[in-house]
Structure formats: C-alpha cells, structure tokens
Amino acid sequence: MKKLLLSVVLFFSISFIGFAQSGKAKYVFFFIGDGMGMNQVHGTEMYLGEKQGAIGTVAPLTFTQFPFTGYSKTYSTHNSITDSAAGGTALAAGHKTKNGTIGMDSAHTTAFESVAEKAKKAGKKVGIMTSVSIDHATPASFYAHQPSRSMAYEIGKDLAKSDFDFFAASDFVSPKGTSGKEEDLFKIVKNAGYTVVRGVDEYNKKSAKSDKMILFQKNGATTSNIPYAIDRKDGDLTLTQITQSAIDFMKKDNRGFFMMIEGGQIDWAAHSNDGATAFEEVIDMDNAVKEAFKFFMAHPDSTLIVITADHETGGLGLGKSGYTLDLKQFDNQKISKAQLSSDIVALSKKNKGKVSYDQIKELLKKELGFWDSVKLTESEENALENEYNNMVSNSAKKVKSEYFVDESLANVAIAILNDKAKIGWTTSGHSGAYVPVFAIGAGAEQFTGLQENTDIPKKIAKAAGY
C-alpha cells in the first residue's frame, strides 16, 4: 500500500511540474534505450509488479510517468528496419541515412551536424555516455562522421576532435587501430586535453582539476561493455554512477549542458533473446533517469528530459499461451545468458571436459532456479539433457547473436525460462516497430503523438535554443 501511495504522489508531482514548463531548456538530458521498444518498457513494468505482488500487477518506471508521451518511426533511408548507426544518426542529427553510416549522408559525402555539436557551438557543456564502448554506433553518432560504424579507431579520433567536455563508457574497443601500428588513442585524447580515469574513485580524485574528462571502467574488464546489471559485482561501473559523475562534472559553471546517456545493453540482451537480462537493463537505465529527475526537481523551469529508443530489438511479444503472463519466473534468473554460457565453459574446463550432467543441473538450479522454484516438464528435461549430451560429444552447435557466441545448452535453458514467463521473440535482430518517447520539462510538450525519429533532435534544439 505504501509503494502504491508513493507512486501516486510521484505521478501527480511529475504531472503538475511537467505541465508547468514554458522556459528554455538550459539543461538537457537525452536518454536513448538502445533496442527499447514499447514491450521492453511495459514488460519491465509488469515484471517489477509481479515481483512485488501478483500476476497482473504493474509497477511503473519513473520515465513512463512523465507527462508527455509519443511514438517514433525508426526506418532508415534504404531499409524498413534500421541499424543503430542510422538510427543513432537520425536521433543525433535529424537526418535519415543508410544503415551502417555514422553522422553522414547515404552517399558519404556530407557530414551532418548533431544536436550535441550545436549545443557545443552554443556554448553549452556536452557529455556523451553509454553502457557499451564509447565508439559504438549510437554514442558515435553524436560526435563522429564516418562512412562505417566498424571504423572504431577513426571514430575514436573524431572523439578527440570534438572538444566535448565529458565522455563515459566501458572503453575504446580499438585504441591502436586495426593494424596496431597507428598512434594510440589514449595518447591522442591526452594531447587533446582529456583526463582519462577508470572508475568513480579515480574520477572523484581528479575531476576538480580536469577541464575535459573520459570516465572508463577499471582495467581488467571487457572493453566492449560494462557488466550487465544482472551480472554486476561490487566495484563495477554503472550507468547510474556515470550519470551522477556527468552531472557533477557538467554543473560546475553556469553555462548549461547537453548530455546523451545510452542504455546500450537493452539491445544486446534482446539480440540474445534474454528476457530477464533485457528487463533488468531497462530498470538500470530507469535508475539513471532518476538521477536526471533529481536534477530536474532542483531546476524545473530550465531542464528538459527526453527518453526514446533508436529501434526495437528482438520483436518481443508479451504472451504466448492463454491470457496471462508469468514474468515472476524471471526473478529466478540470477545471471545473463552470456554469463551462464561462460560458466558452462568454465565448468567444463575445470573438469577437463568431463563435466557431469549432475554438475550442469547444479549450475542451472543455482542460477535459474530449475528443479526448485522453476518446475520443468518432461520435454524440457529431455531438451536440456539432449543438449548436454551434444556438448560432451562435441556435436553441439554454438548459438551466435549480434554480440555473443553462446553455448547451445545456455540457449536452451534461457529459452525454457522465457517460455515459462510466457514471452516470445520473433527475431534475434531488430524490428520495424514504433518506439516510445517520454518527456518532461521545458519544451516537453513538443514530444507527443507520432513523429519521425529525425524530429526529436530538432525539437530538442528548439527547446534549448541551439
């Protein structure tokens, strides 16, 4: 009852303040949930509700309570289904382009000016943040201009030229280029005046004396992404910490700021058709939005927060049989499919390839709740045992998604849990579905109804006066 009352109070507080805005957006927060379609959002709310209560209960996210909502089309110039490069370019620069292109037209002859670059020209501080690598397609679209998203080293050089104030991500994925003989990106960004720090402790020590900063996760972690929320351990960099650090760094003077914060791994989990992990990533981004909302509450007349997505990933369906979901089943999943796959490999290596089925069952019981909280049918048991036999006979085929190559046994196990929760996926790629738009603050009333993704950065620039 107390949680319900708090939600009602928050809803009316947001609505009252959100409708009251008429000033210019001096401070802009632009959140992009990569791959976050409407079903990723509402599925997360129902998942949270079922964790707290009964089937059919909904626990609203912070950003879904914002007073202005709409939908966005996501197609690119040559495809009805966009990739993140073309989708990111549309959201950054207000122009459609062809898939794979970063911040340029389809002919690769003209560079588009992004809303972040316009903000910098207008004298604002600019920050670009993500939960994946800083040279990934969506963040790159705000500062880089390259014919291919795969040109990570060249994208990194564009970062150094941007003169933006703050970047945060997992790392560079190719700091020495494809040949390994190019000038190291870390040297290039240092010469451009950036202080590179790893983790929030180092940020706190050096931020006061730095004019431009890049916050990466600690050494030893993967360069491609910060850990999934579901896999997180103490000391791991989080999107909330990134957002807190960006606000701290960018509010130092009275210039105002523009920042883009990407929840990049909603997309990665959806590519893997990993429902629990995708929902936890939406929650993780919502936690970062809460930090922006705290700032908004202190500056309600001059702050704009916009949340949208570049596309939907996975073709997520909420419902497979009957007229109900059972999303509470996902509460039994303790790690991502990718981590489960790694753990299966590690268990096999530890036992020199002679891992027993009982050992596999113990792992699945511990991490997915199988045989305890999650009761399995005979056919589900058979499917798991068959994949185990394929694995030990070396006849199992790896399952490749956009960003991971998983053990088939992990893939079967997560598919069983998805089925138990009664969700389905139509693809391991992107879909052409509309994506949601949520807004609050100065100029937020523009973001209602059905709109092109290219309209969104133009409306942000208008609200901010760039």
Side-chain angles (χ1 to χ4, degrees):
M1 185 64 185
K2 184 181 288 186
K3 289 180 179 178
L4 177 61
L5 180 59
L6 286 173
S7 293
V8 171
V9 170
L10 179 61
F11 174 78
F12 283 108
S13 297
I14 288 174
S15 299
F16 178 77
I17 295 172
F19 278 103
Q21 304 316 301
S22 58
K24 186 176 289 186
K26 182 177 181 179
Y27 308 104
V28 176
F29 295 88
F30 188 15
F31 286 87
I32 299 175
D34 199 313
M36 187 183 73
M38 200 65 224
N39 278 358
Q40 279 81 359
V41 174
H42 190 47
T44 301
E45 293 184 313
M46 289 192 287
Y47 163 59
L48 283 170
E50 289 189 16
K51 285 177 69 171
Q52 297 172 10
I55 288 177
T57 308
V58 175
L61 296 161
T62 299
F63 64 79
T64 61
Q65 298 175 80
F66 287 179
F68 298 99
T69 61
Y71 297 89
S72 171
K73 304 174 187 177
T74 63
Y75 62 91
S76 59
T77 54
H78 294 70
N79 299 82
S80 53
I81 299 176
T82 189
D83 80 327
S84 288
T89 297
L91 290 175
H95 294 281
K96 300 277 188 181
T97 191
K98 73 176 182 179
N99 287 1
T101 303
I102 299 289
M104 302 183 76
D105 68 340
S106 295
H108 300 154
T109 58
T110 302
F112 297 137
E113 186 178 46
S114 75
V115 65
E117 290 168 322
K118 289 179 180 178
K120 188 66 180 176
K121 277 188 178 180
K124 307 299 181 183
K125 286 191 171 182
V126 176
I128 305 298
M129 290 79 75
T130 180
S131 58
V132 294
S133 64
I134 197 60
D135 38 30
H136 214 262
T138 303
S141 298
F142 285 80
Y143 64 82
H145 310 278
Q146 296 295 337
S148 174
R149 62 182 293 176
S150 65
M151 300 170 68
Y153 179 77
E154 290 76 12
I155 288 169
K157 290 174 71 175
D158 281 351
L159 180 152
K161 296 175 188 175
S162 72
D163 199 36
F164 289 178
D165 301 89
F166 187 89
F167 291 93
S170 61
D171 212 318
F172 293 118
V173 294
S174 186
K176 296 184 179 180
T178 53
S179 70
K181 297 179 180 179
E182 289 91 346
E183 185 178 11
D184 194 299
L185 284 177
F186 288 101
K187 182 178 179 181
I188 292 173
V189 297
K190 182 179 179 181
N191 290 339
Y194 287 96
T195 300
V196 178
V197 295
R198 292 193 174 275
V200 291
D201 290 342
E202 191 173 357
Y203 165 80
N204 290 332
K205 291 177 182 177
K206 296 184 178 181
S207 62
K209 298 180 180 179
S210 302
D211 295 324
K212 295 187 293 184
M213 180 156 286
I214 301 174
L215 169 60
F216 284 152
Q217 64 187 353
K218 293 179 181 179
N219 282 318
T222 173
T223 59
S224 61
N225 59 296
I226 65 176
Y228 276 131
I230 200 170
D231 297 328
R232 187 171 296 150
K233 295 178 175 59
D234 289 344
D236 287 337
L237 188 62
T238 72
L239 198 61
T240 296
Q241 291 173 334
I242 284 172
T243 305
Q244 290 169 335
S245 299
I247 292 171
D248 174 71
F249 193 80
M250 308 255 281
K251 71 178 184 181
K252 289 179 182 178
D253 56 31
N254 202 35
R255 289 162 49 188
F257 57 70
F258 169 90
M259 63 174 77
M260 189 287 293
I261 306 103
E262 182 200 23
Q265 294 186 97
I266 302 167
D267 174 68
W268 290 33
H271 273 297
S272 294
N273 292 171
D274 185 351
T277 301
F279 291 158
E280 289 293 340
E281 287 301 305
V282 175
I283 295 167
D284 196 54
M285 193 181 83
D286 190 57
N287 288 334
V289 172
K290 288 176 182 176
E291 297 303 317
F293 184 65
K294 289 177 188 176
F295 185 91
F296 166 82
M297 292 295 284
H299 308 274
D301 295 326
S302 54
T303 303
L304 171 66
I305 307 174
V306 179
I307 294 96
T308 192
D310 51 354
H311 53 74
E312 192 274 346
T313 301
L316 174 61
L318 300 176
K320 288 188 72 175
S321 60
Y323 290 89
T324 188
L325 294 166
D326 192 5
L327 300 177
K328 197 175 189 302
Q329 294 283 352
F330 284 140
D331 205 24
N332 297 296
Q333 184 175 332
K334 306 305 180 188
I335 58 175
S336 67
K337 181 201 284 190
Q339 186 60 55
L340 178 62
S341 181
S342 295
D343 287 355
I344 290 170
V345 172
L347 186 61
S348 182
K349 286 182 178 178
K350 181 180 178 181
N351 290 274
K352 299 180 180 180
K354 296 182 180 179
V355 60
S356 70
Y357 187 52
D358 283 341
Q359 289 173 307
I360 292 293
K361 288 178 70 174
E362 279 302 310
L363 177 64
L364 298 180
K365 185 182 294 185
K366 175 186 174 185
E367 304 297 2
L368 303 182
F370 283 5
W371 295 284
D372 284 341
S373 303
V374 180
K375 306 303 179 185
L376 302 181
T377 65
E378 183 178 351
S379 63
E380 290 164 345
E381 291 250 21
N382 289 339
L384 288 170
E385 192 162 6
N386 286 340
E387 283 307 314
Y388 163 78
N389 290 330
N390 290 337
M391 182 183 77
V392 295
S393 66
N394 295 317
S395 61
K397 293 183 179 179
K398 304 285 187 180
V399 179
K400 188 179 185 306
S401 63
E402 188 73 14
Y403 298 105
F404 298 101
V405 178
D406 294 316
E407 293 295 309
S408 60
L409 182 56
N411 192 64
V412 169
I414 295 300
I416 288 171
L417 198 55
N418 283 336
D419 196 57
K420 293 287 188 187
K422 301 186 186 300
I423 70 162
W425 304 88
T426 64
T427 178
S428 60
H430 300 171
S431 78
Y434 291 160
V435 296
V437 182
F438 305 93
I440 189 171
E445 69 281 353
Q446 299 178 85
F447 297 91
T448 59
L450 181 59
Q451 55 211 293
E452 294 286 352
N453 52 6
T454 51
D455 294 334
I456 294 172
K458 294 172 184 176
K459 291 175 180 179
I460 290 173
K462 180 181 177 182
Y466 301 151

